[in-house]
Amino acid sequence: MNIHEYQAKELLEKFGVATTRGKVASTPDEAEKIARELGAANLVVKAQVHAGGRGKGTFQNGFKGGVHVVRSAREAREVAEKMLGQTLVTHQTGAAGRVVNKVLVAESADIAREIYFAILLDRATAAPLVVASTEGGVEIESVAATNPEKIIREPVDPLAGLQPFQTRKLAQQLGFDHSQTKGAAKLFDGLYRTFIGCDCSMVEINPLVVTTNNEVLALDAKFNFDDNALYRHPEIAAMRDTAEEDPREVEASKHELNYIGLDGNIACLVNGAGLAMATMDIIKFYGGNPANFLDVGGSATEEQVTEAFKILIADKNVKAILVNIFGGIMKVDVIANGIISAAKTVKLTVPLVVRLEGTNVEKGKKLLKESGVTLITADDLADAAQKVVAAALSK
């Protein structure tokens, strides 16, 4: 789950991380009121969407940039009017863009230096890892490609946590002078407590800045959370903005289905993430393009399979469907009944290719054969991929 920048700032403030003052606005009137309350000479109005590159983005109404420095409450209102309700297109949104429903009105920092700082989960060690660089304000991927030596990595013992000597070491490596070290170390400590306290998989601050007044501030933040731990944080779960998500993924989450939308035309329904990845790979191998990743899991019900089909059919780009099931804990006859129920409920209008193996496979195949549902059977995964690619091309 992702959250907006203004929500990230609220979490940072909760854990004592220094940042600029600001509030979120949903209307131009609110933006003007907040600007007057802040009373600063320099303010920034920032479009709130789940995408990077906002400053270099373009609105479909022709307005340039999703981040603007303003010098009065009236100007804050004018900028908000041009952003709110409009679609912002950045390199991360794709051509469709994202509609801006809220803007953040905040103090504008007078920046002397920009730094990149992130805490993430290192999957190789299953422990937190600090990744930092003096090259702030740009994407860390670009730094890794052009100047990898400028990326600092500091492993953190999950039992001991981020230690004071590590925060001082990081401050030194990042070029903070003596007068800034205490503030930087305090900020690093607060970010680590945020990471642990909110069950994050990543906290990214880009940029972390040093101002001309020698303050060390977290200027922009991006959070990723461990979805499996959200039950412990109902206040964070409530921050979810489904308007920023793919409607298909939102619907899938309601039925506890693991779905990710792609831009192909062959829909996939598979049980198991590894099998789903292999299925997408072999579709590509035979010249097709997957329309989604959909893992129904190892214990899906007939109802979940039916809902999965509804989601697949709702994608107008889908020209064929491949069901690839290897029954272990999941019994093949349960999937077969789900397919039959779904086919009758959603009235399939595209070719359906089915490959079944595993527990109760003969019973499952018998159910499908006697159901009257029009489908194409496959003997193995390669056979299934070739048949579904050919079926999609025929539509």
Side-chain angles (χ1 to χ4, degrees):
M1 190 187 87
N2 294 318
I3 60 174
H4 287 290
E5 179 187 0
Y6 76 90
Q7 295 167 322
K9 287 173 74 70
E10 291 172 4
L11 289 178
L12 293 178
E13 290 171 356
K14 177 181 176 182
F15 286 88
V17 177
T19 185
T20 54
R21 294 185 303 149
K23 291 183 180 179
V24 67
S26 302
T27 67
D29 286 342
E30 289 180 358
E32 183 175 9
K33 180 181 178 183
I34 292 167
R36 293 190 189 283
E37 289 175 353
L38 291 173
N42 292 325
L43 300 168
V44 62
V45 180
K46 306 176 80 171
Q48 297 298 283
V49 293
H50 289 174
R54 290 172 295 167
K56 297 179 181 178
T58 302
F59 287 88
Q60 290 182 347
N61 63 1
F63 188 57
K64 301 289 186 180
V67 179
H68 281 263
V69 175
V70 298
R71 303 190 184 284
S72 68
R74 180 63 186 174
E75 193 178 351
R77 177 192 177 87
E78 291 171 355
V79 169
E81 281 180 338
K82 293 174 182 177
M83 290 184 179
L84 290 167
Q86 302 298 320
T87 301
L88 176 64
V89 179
T90 78
H91 70 281
Q92 288 191 10
T93 65
R98 297 278 177 83
V99 177
V100 177
N101 295 310
K102 296 178 185 294
V103 295
L104 173 66
V105 182
E107 292 175 324
S108 176
D110 194 357
I111 300 170
R113 286 182 63 215
E114 295 187 354
I115 293 148
Y116 176 92
F117 191 93
I119 305 171
L120 49 84
L121 182 64
D122 183 356
R123 301 198 182 278
T125 62
L129 174 70
V130 174
V131 177
S133 175
T134 54
E135 304 297 304
V138 297
E139 293 186 15
I140 196 65
E141 293 85 357
S142 300
V143 180
T146 58
N147 301 103
E149 73 283 356
K150 293 187 176 181
I151 297 179
I152 299 163
R153 294 175 174 85
E154 181 69 22
V156 181
D157 186 316
L159 294 178
L162 186 65
Q163 294 296 296
F165 80 88
Q166 290 178 295
T167 61
R168 293 192 296 271
K169 174 185 172 184
L170 285 164
Q172 184 180 29
Q173 290 175 313
L174 290 168
F176 288 95
D177 64 33
H178 182 71
S179 64
Q180 300 161 352
T181 298
K182 184 176 179 180
K186 181 180 179 182
L187 190 144
F188 299 158
D189 179 70
L191 288 173
Y192 184 77
R193 287 187 289 106
T194 306
F195 177 85
I196 296 298
C198 295
D199 282 306
C200 299
S201 55
M202 183 188 76
V203 175
E204 181 185 68
I205 308 298
N206 191 24
L208 185 156
V209 303
V210 179
T211 71
T212 53
N213 293 328
N214 233 23
E215 294 178 294
V216 183
L217 303 175
L219 204 59
D220 196 355
K222 181 178 180 181
F223 280 64
N224 284 338
F225 300 94
D226 179 354
D227 291 348
N228 294 318
L230 282 176
Y231 73 94
R232 292 198 291 238
H233 307 282
E235 75 288 356
I236 295 175
M239 292 179 174
R240 183 182 181 187
D241 184 356
T242 55
E244 288 288 318
E245 301 177 27
D246 186 323
R248 299 168 297 176
E249 296 179 14
V250 174
E251 185 63 25
S253 69
K254 294 178 183 177
H255 305 285
E256 298 182 355
L257 298 167
N258 298 309
Y259 178 96
I260 299 172
L262 304 173
D263 57 5
N265 62 4
I266 297 175
C268 309
L269 188 155
V270 185
N271 67 319
L275 187 58
M277 296 297 289
T279 301
M280 293 191 294
D281 285 347
I282 201 165
I283 287 172
K284 291 288 288 185
F285 180 79
Y286 285 108
N289 285 302
N292 65 274
F293 169 103
L294 174 55
D295 171 18
V296 298
S299 57
T301 63
E302 290 181 26
E303 292 75 15
Q304 284 177 303
V305 175
T306 300
E307 294 300 330
F309 265 89
K310 289 180 181 178
I311 293 167
L312 298 181
I313 294 299
D315 186 344
K316 302 303 180 185
N317 293 325
V318 168
K319 302 299 182 185
I321 299 173
L322 172 58
V323 175
N324 182 26
I325 297 297
F326 189 91
I329 298 173
M330 166 64 71
K331 293 180 173 58
V332 172
D333 57 312
V334 173
I335 290 291
N337 279 321
I339 293 170
I340 295 166
S341 174
K344 293 177 178 178
T345 301
V346 303
K347 297 180 181 179
L348 288 176
T349 58
V350 297
L352 172 63
V353 178
V354 179
R355 180 255 184 170
L356 302 175
E357 287 294 343
T359 308
N360 292 354
V361 64
E362 295 305 325
K363 186 177 179 180
K365 289 181 177 179
K366 184 172 184 291
L367 286 168
L368 289 176
K369 185 176 181 180
E370 296 174 351
S371 68
V373 173
T374 302
L375 54 85
I376 302 167
T377 58
D379 297 324
D380 54 40
L381 184 50
D383 183 39
Q386 292 176 75
K387 285 178 176 177
V388 78
V389 171
L393 289 173
S394 69
K395 290 292 288 183

